Each structure stands twice: as C-alpha cells, then as structure tokens.
Amino acid sequence: MSRSWPNILITGTPGTGKTTHAAQLLEALQAAPSTSAAPWQHVNVGDLVKEKGCHSGWNDEWQSWDVDEDKLLDELEIVQHPGAKLLDWHTCDMFPERWIDLVVVLRCDHSQLWTRLEKRAYGLSKIQENNTAEIMEVVLNDARESYAEEIVVELRSESPEQMEENVNRILQWVEAWRADHANDDDDDDDDDGEQS
Ligand code: ADP
C-alpha cells in the first residue's frame, strides 16, 4: 500500500502548540509550489470526537470525553487515501502504525505550559495533571513505544521563532518524502481500491 502524500501526526501534551502548529503548517503546505497540489487537511481529532459523537459520554473525573476508539477509527478511515492529513491530537497510540508517516511530538517548558493552561481556564487538577504528564514525557514515551524510532521527531514549542523553524522543517520533510515516493503514483494506479 502506498499513499500519494504523507500523513503527519502532531501530538503533545495539551497546550504545547499542536493546533497552532497544524494551522501554520497547513498554510505553508498549501502555499509551497512543491506541496500545494495535495488536498491538505487539518484534522483536529478532539473536535471530531465531539462533532461525530465518537464517545460514550462525558467523564467528570477526567473532564474529557470517554473516546469510543472503534467509532473514531471508522471516522478516520479518510486518512488512508490519498494521505495529506495533519492529525492533531494529544493521544498518539491509537492510530494504526501504517496510517502515519511522521510523528511530531511538541514539547514545552512546564512553567510556560502552566501559564498557557491557566489562560485556557482549566481547573487546577487538570493543569497539574497535564503539567506532570509533560514533565514525565508521557506523550513522547507513548510515541516512541507506538511508532518506529525513525519517524518520531521531538520539537520544542516555546516561541514563535521555534514554531516557524518547526513548520519549515516539516515542510522540508514532506518535500523529501514526496521525492522518495515519486514513483508510487504509478503504483497507486495499479492497485486502486486495495488500500489497506
Ligand atoms: P494544543 O493544540 O497543543 O492544545 P495550542 O496550539 O492551542 O495547543 O496552543 C496553546 C497556546 O499556546 C496558544 O495560545 C498558542 O498561541 C500558544 N503557543 C503554542 N505554541 C507556541 C509557541 N511555539 N510559541 C508561543 N506560543 C505558543
């Protein structure tokens, strides 16, 4: 199975900058002549869970939806062809490995993260829980356990300059991926409808 364009998972503790990065990356990919032909789409998985009802209800203790993974994965079947999806979610270990070509794990200094989450009006326990998760590198460890080492990239997200650098770096990675898979479009023509 091959995709015409890569799928990128942008993950990290809430507040590290996933949605902001995905929005800027989308703009950059749509603007660059080398990548603008693809139907790039930013998929905010948390929003999708709510919009499509991929959950079994609100969990008061965790202050979040109890995700129905089967239903969510059905909704996300769209990622498989032709690719070009920017998946934005704080959980990274639920997707089939074959769906994802690059995993970007955003990291942030914990005191800066605390301030960002306070601005979001999170309750104290939710701020503490997320802050501890960032210090313990929970998402990074999950990513390393779930995907091949060479596709997991850890990037700092503590300033607009870093964000710009990250976006440029991912754009260059997409261009390299595309160059590496230049012949796959021909293969796709042969096996249409047999994506797995
Ligand atoms: P997430 O999607 O991971 O929950 P957001 O993208 O919503 O995080 O970012 C949370 C807040 O932090 C936003 O106000 C955003 O502008 C800010 N932020 C994120 N990344 C950076 C960065 N690299 N530099 C400065 N501010 C950032």
Side-chain angles (χ1 to χ4, degrees), residues 37-58:
W40 293 104
Q41 196 184 339
H42 172 191
V43 182
N44 184 318
V45 179
D47 288 350
L48 194 77
V49 167
K50 273 183 270 172
E51 280 160 22
K52 302 282 183 182
C54 306
H55 58 77
S56 53
W58 179 254

Side-chain angles (χ1 to χ4, degrees), residues 7-14 16-26 29 40-46 85-92 95 100-107 139 143 147 151 153 155 157 163 166-167 170-171 174:
N7 289 320
I8 301 170
L9 172 59
I10 302 177
T11 190
T13 308
T16 46
K18 299 179 292 295
T19 301
T20 317
H21 271 77
Q24 292 201 7
L25 181 60
L26 181 70
L29 289 163
W40 293 104
Q41 196 184 339
H42 172 191
V43 182
N44 184 318
V45 179
K85 301 289 184 291
L86 309 179
L87 295 170
D88 157 6
W89 208 25
H90 58 86
T91 302
C92 64
F95 307 106
I100 309 294
D101 302 290
L102 179 70
V103 182
V104 174
V105 184
L106 296 177
R107 303 300 312 280
V139 180
Y147 299 93
I151 73 160
V153 186
L155 297 176
S157 172
M163 186 145 38
N166 295 341
V167 166
I170 301 167
L171 179 62
V174 171

Side-chain angles (χ1 to χ4, degrees), residues 76-143:
L76 285 171
E77 283 282 321
I78 49 154
V79 305
Q80 297 194 62
H81 195 74
K85 301 289 184 291
L86 309 179
L87 295 170
D88 157 6
W89 208 25
H90 58 86
T91 302
C92 64
D93 54 4
M94 206 199 71
F95 307 106
E97 242 187 300
R98 66 180 186 281
W99 284 10
I100 309 294
D101 302 290
L102 179 70
V103 182
V104 174
V105 184
L106 296 177
R107 303 300 312 280
C108 182
D109 163 73
H110 66 93
S111 55
Q112 193 177 143
L113 186 67
W114 189 285
T115 310
R116 289 184 193 174
L117 295 178
E118 260 180 346
K119 282 192 190 147
R120 227 177 229 189
Y122 273 13
L124 183 61
S125 62
K126 198 163 173 175
I127 296 178
Q128 275 168 340
E129 179 201 313
N130 282 307
N131 216 48
T132 305
E134 182 60 14
I135 292 166
M136 304 291 288
E137 308 192 320
V138 171
V139 180
L140 181 64
N141 290 333
D142 283 351

Side-chain angles (χ1 to χ4, degrees), residues 5-6 8 29 35 40 170-179:
W5 294 92
I8 301 170
L29 289 163
T35 54
W40 293 104
I170 301 167
L171 179 62
Q172 282 171 17
W173 177 89
V174 171
E175 288 170 343
W177 188 97
R178 197 49 196 164

